[in-house]
Amino acid sequence: MRDIFLIALYAFLGAAGAGLLGALALHLLRRRSIAGSLAVVAAVAVAAMLAGTLAVARAMFLSSHDLTVVTLVVAMAAVVSLATALLLGRRVVIGARELVVAAREFGQGGRFTAPVGPAPAELAALSRELAATSARLAASRERERALEASRRELVAWISHDLRTPLAGLRAMSEALEDGVVADPIRYHRRMRTEVDRLNAMVGDLFELSRIHAGALTLNPARVSVYDLVGDALAGADPLAREHGVVLVGNRVDAVPVEVDGKEMTRVLANLLVNAIRHTPADGTVAVSAEHRSGSVVLSVTDGCGGIAPDDLPRVFDTGWRGTVARTPPAGAGLGLAIVRGIVEAHAGRADVRNVPGGCCFEVTLPAATA
């Protein structure tokens, strides 16, 4: 037992010496190529075995012939180990260089192309992650371009829509100032109408800016969808009568939701005003609400004749107006963008689809928990 312990001790001391030298070499090569580190690891393994063998051989007083044989065997093993380590290191270095070139092109052109050919699992995982990052950045740039285009359109439309009522107000004020107006009361009413129109546009812009800035503060409370729809229908009824449109509130389930009543009333009002303005006289605008799989779906269906399929994805974009058939007589195309912003702030979703004779806007909200 004592001999075995001594053999193990001598072998450990010899291997430990080689290991310390290898650790020092790895520290010195820590900023060098990984191929050199792999070669050092292979050399340390063989040197540790050789050092341990020599230490045991001297302690056991082996013959010089046996010691030479062992040394030759270990030397051949060292040659094979080093060759294998260098071959593996070369493969890793080549794969890393290709990945560096691809990453450099990614930084310059914004698109990552994964290197062709097999690669170690770690490098392959890094390549996949860079490819996924490239795809996310491309999608982000596309959204940014679309948002920038939308902003430019919004500025152009807002400028146009503001210029028209301002020009009218200026003309009417000059006419009143010059005393050439036969019916001043009518001019005053018209001026008030234009001011109300401007005030509504500025209010929409302020609301939209709060939504985009993430400054929309909600005060959710438990309310019944039946009450929300009833209040919205009552508020939109005068406009519907003016346009000769019939409002119908059918299939409205009295299910509770946790929402900000003021903001959700604005959502329904915007949808109803949009539907009424695009429904011809003697047409019908129907409102419904139902419970679907843990969600509450509010629907507003109009008789506008439908929206072009290519325009459906843009309906809720800021400033979108669509075709001439759906261009409102007033406003800047902000109503539906505000609808989407408020609904998404409630963790909901706003959608639109064509139906026979018109289109259906749906607002999906989480149902209130019991």
Side-chain angles (χ1 to χ4, degrees):
M1 187 68 182
R2 181 173 178 275
D3 293 340
I4 295 177
F5 175 75
L6 288 175
I7 292 172
L9 178 62
Y10 288 136
F12 173 76
L13 291 176
L20 290 176
L21 291 176
L24 178 60
L26 289 176
H27 178 73
L28 295 176
L29 295 175
R30 64 186 183 278
R31 299 184 185 276
R32 300 294 182 178
S33 172
I34 193 174
S37 298
L38 289 174
V40 169
V41 170
V44 166
V46 177
M49 183 177 63
L50 179 59
T53 301
L54 293 176
V56 172
R58 289 188 177 277
M60 297 292 293
F61 301 103
L62 294 180
S63 65
S64 58
H65 177 270
D66 293 341
L67 186 58
T68 302
V69 171
V70 171
T71 304
L72 287 174
V73 171
V74 174
M76 294 301 103
V79 172
V80 174
S81 298
L82 288 175
T84 304
L86 291 174
L87 179 61
L88 175 61
R90 182 174 179 274
R91 290 180 55 189
V92 172
V93 168
I94 291 175
R97 287 175 179 172
E98 292 177 348
L99 195 58
V100 167
V101 172
R104 185 181 298 115
E105 294 176 352
F106 176 33
Q108 295 174 350
R111 183 173 298 277
F112 178 78
T113 303
V116 180
E122 291 77 6
L123 294 181
L126 178 59
S127 178
R128 289 193 298 270
E129 188 61 32
L130 286 174
T133 302
S134 174
R136 289 193 294 268
L137 287 175
S140 177
R141 285 192 296 270
E142 187 62 30
R143 288 193 300 269
E144 184 178 354
R145 282 194 291 267
L147 182 60
E148 184 61 28
S150 176
R151 286 174 178 171
R152 286 196 297 268
E153 292 177 355
L154 175 62
V155 170
W157 287 332
I158 286 293
S159 301
H160 176 270
D161 287 339
L162 289 177
R163 188 182 299 113
T164 301
L166 287 175
L169 285 171
R170 180 175 182 177
M172 287 184 286
S173 64
E174 290 176 350
L176 289 171
E177 185 179 6
D178 294 339
V180 296
V181 178
D183 187 2
I185 296 179
R186 183 172 66 87
Y187 270 62
H188 288 150
R189 285 198 300 266
R190 182 60 184 169
M191 291 174 69
R192 179 168 182 174
T193 299
E194 294 297 333
V195 170
D196 289 341
R197 178 183 173 188
L198 288 172
N199 184 63
M201 292 172 61
V202 172
D204 285 345
L205 282 172
F206 177 70
E207 183 76 6
L208 195 63
S209 67
R210 287 201 305 156
I211 292 172
H212 286 171
L216 180 63
T217 303
L218 300 178
N219 298 302
R222 191 182 183 91
V223 297
S224 172
V225 174
Y226 187 86
D227 294 335
L228 285 176
V229 172
D231 292 343
L233 288 175
D237 186 65
L239 181 64
R241 292 179 180 275
E242 179 183 345
H243 286 74
V245 174
V246 178
L247 290 180
V248 178
N250 53 4
R251 295 188 297 110
V252 179
D253 298 339
V255 293
V257 288
E258 291 277 350
V259 296
D260 186 311
K262 177 183 176 182
E263 298 296 341
M264 198 50 58
T265 298
R266 179 165 192 165
V267 166
L268 291 175
N270 284 1
L271 290 177
L272 284 172
V273 169
N274 180 73
I276 292 170
R277 284 176 173 169
H278 299 105
T279 298
D282 298 329
T284 300
V285 172
V287 183
S288 65
E290 57 183 329
H291 190 273
R292 297 182 193 171
S293 304
S295 300
V296 177
V297 180
L298 300 169
S299 303
V300 176
T301 305
D302 59 31
C304 67
I307 303 173
D310 293 340
D311 289 338
L312 282 174
R314 296 197 58 202
V315 167
F316 293 99
D317 288 353
T318 302
W320 182 86
R321 291 186 176 185
T323 60
V324 177
R326 291 194 60 85
T327 301
L334 304 180
L336 294 180
I338 292 174
V339 166
R340 181 176 63 178
I342 295 176
V343 170
E344 290 180 350
H346 284 84
R349 187 180 71 254
D351 302 294
V352 61
R353 70 177 191 277
N354 284 326
V355 295
C359 58
C360 176
F361 287 85
E362 288 187 344
V363 172
T364 304
L365 298 170
T369 56

